[in-house]
Amino acid sequence: MIAPSRILSLLTERLRSAPFHLGQVRVAAGSDGRVELRHRDDAALDSAELQSFHSPNHAREIAQYDAAGEYRPLKGTPNLKRGWRMDLTGPEETRVALDIFYPAALALWAAQTDDRLRIIPLSQTLERQTGMYRYARTISPEGARELTRRRCLEGCSRRPLWSDLPSPAPGPDEIPLLCPEACSFFVAEARVVAKTEFEAKTAPPPSAGD
Ligand code: SF4
């Protein structure tokens, strides 16, 4: 486990070369030590055009629903709403806010920086499943790759490090958004894919009259 003080010191260091991005959040440092967060697509907007927040905990209400008012259960989904800015006092408040926007992302980045990131192979994650999710283990390799393409590479901002599919490398102005182990959403969908594959294999062949 990475010590919170280590995460804070890395973030403090990174803020010296701000602006940078974490997922869809743009982080910029002011000359007075304050830090501003806003949606990266709002980078060019005047501050007066955005709704201002002054507590890092407001990240929760910003991140909870998308622009259409739909709940965002998976915070890596690239549908963070726009139109807000957060004016924060410094690194600690920035850490709190970013941890709400992208849970554990800073700790994973710190672990990677310190060569302590443990990547769990998909087979191991699926093998560990119990109850109704045990069935996810039977997903075919091709089914798993297709699901990774759809759910992770197209539908999530995190990089699935456990997959051998290529994903875009983070740019120099980004803190990488890492995924070292398939999440519960992936496992739930793997179960559905595995069931569909099984049903397709066991369906009776069409009769001559069909
Ligand atoms: S498993 Fe896929 S969908 Fe889940 S957090 Fe990782 S990259 Fe995102």
Side-chain angles (χ1 to χ4, degrees):
M1 191 181 143
I2 303 293
S5 58
R6 172 65 180 146
I7 297 169
L8 190 59
S9 100
L10 272 175
L11 182 60
T12 304
E13 182 63 32
R14 190 66 181 85
L15 281 166
R16 295 201 180 101
S17 53
F20 61 83
H21 301 102
L22 178 68
Q24 292 184 286
V25 176
R26 179 181 193 271
V27 181
S31 54
D32 55 356
R34 298 189 75 82
V35 179
E36 190 207 54
L37 271 53
R38 59 169 71 186
H39 194 291
R40 65 190 298 164
D41 294 343
D42 289 339
L45 294 186
D46 193 278
S47 298
E49 296 177 66
L50 303 170
Q51 184 180 3
S52 289
F53 297 91
H54 300 279
S55 161
N57 293 315
H58 279 126
R60 199 160 282 114
E61 71 180 75
I62 296 169
Q64 202 159 15
Y65 300 99
D66 67 15
E70 296 290 326
Y71 180 60
R72 300 175 66 238
L74 179 66
K75 296 296 179 261
T77 307
N79 61 352
L80 184 65
K81 70 181 171 194
R82 298 176 53 185
W84 53 270
R85 64 183 285 273
M86 303 186 85
D87 176 26
L88 304 175
T89 55
E92 174 55 15
E93 286 198 354
T94 305
R95 185 195 65 74
V96 171
L98 292 178
D99 211 38
I100 294 171
F101 281 119
Y102 296 108
L106 293 177
L108 292 169
W109 167 59
Q112 186 190 49
T113 304
D114 291 352
D115 265 337
R116 293 176 59 193
L117 186 63
R118 193 162 156 248
I119 297 168
I120 311 293
L122 180 60
S123 56
Q124 205 173 310
T125 304
L126 296 180
E127 204 53 42
R128 243 190 10 236
Q129 301 305 312
T130 56
M132 63 188 263
Y133 293 107
R134 282 169 64 96
Y135 209 83
R137 300 173 186 178
T138 64
I139 191 171
S140 68
E142 192 36 56
R145 287 170 74 83
E146 187 44 44
L147 178 57
T148 306
R149 259 183 223 109
R150 175 168 56 78
R151 161 48 74 193
C152 304
L153 301 182
E154 293 167 15
C156 184
S157 301
R158 294 191 188 245
R159 296 185 69 203
L161 302 176
W162 43 266
S163 167
D164 58 5
L165 290 174
S167 52
D173 65 341
E174 284 181 284
I175 288 183
L177 206 42
L178 306 170
C179 171
E181 179 175 8
C183 70
S184 57
F185 295 91
F186 184 97
V187 171
E189 287 192 44
R191 172 179 169 269
V192 174
V193 172
K195 282 193 79 158
T196 307
E197 288 177 339
F198 177 76
E199 283 161 10
K201 262 191 265 170
T202 54
S207 65
D210 285 347

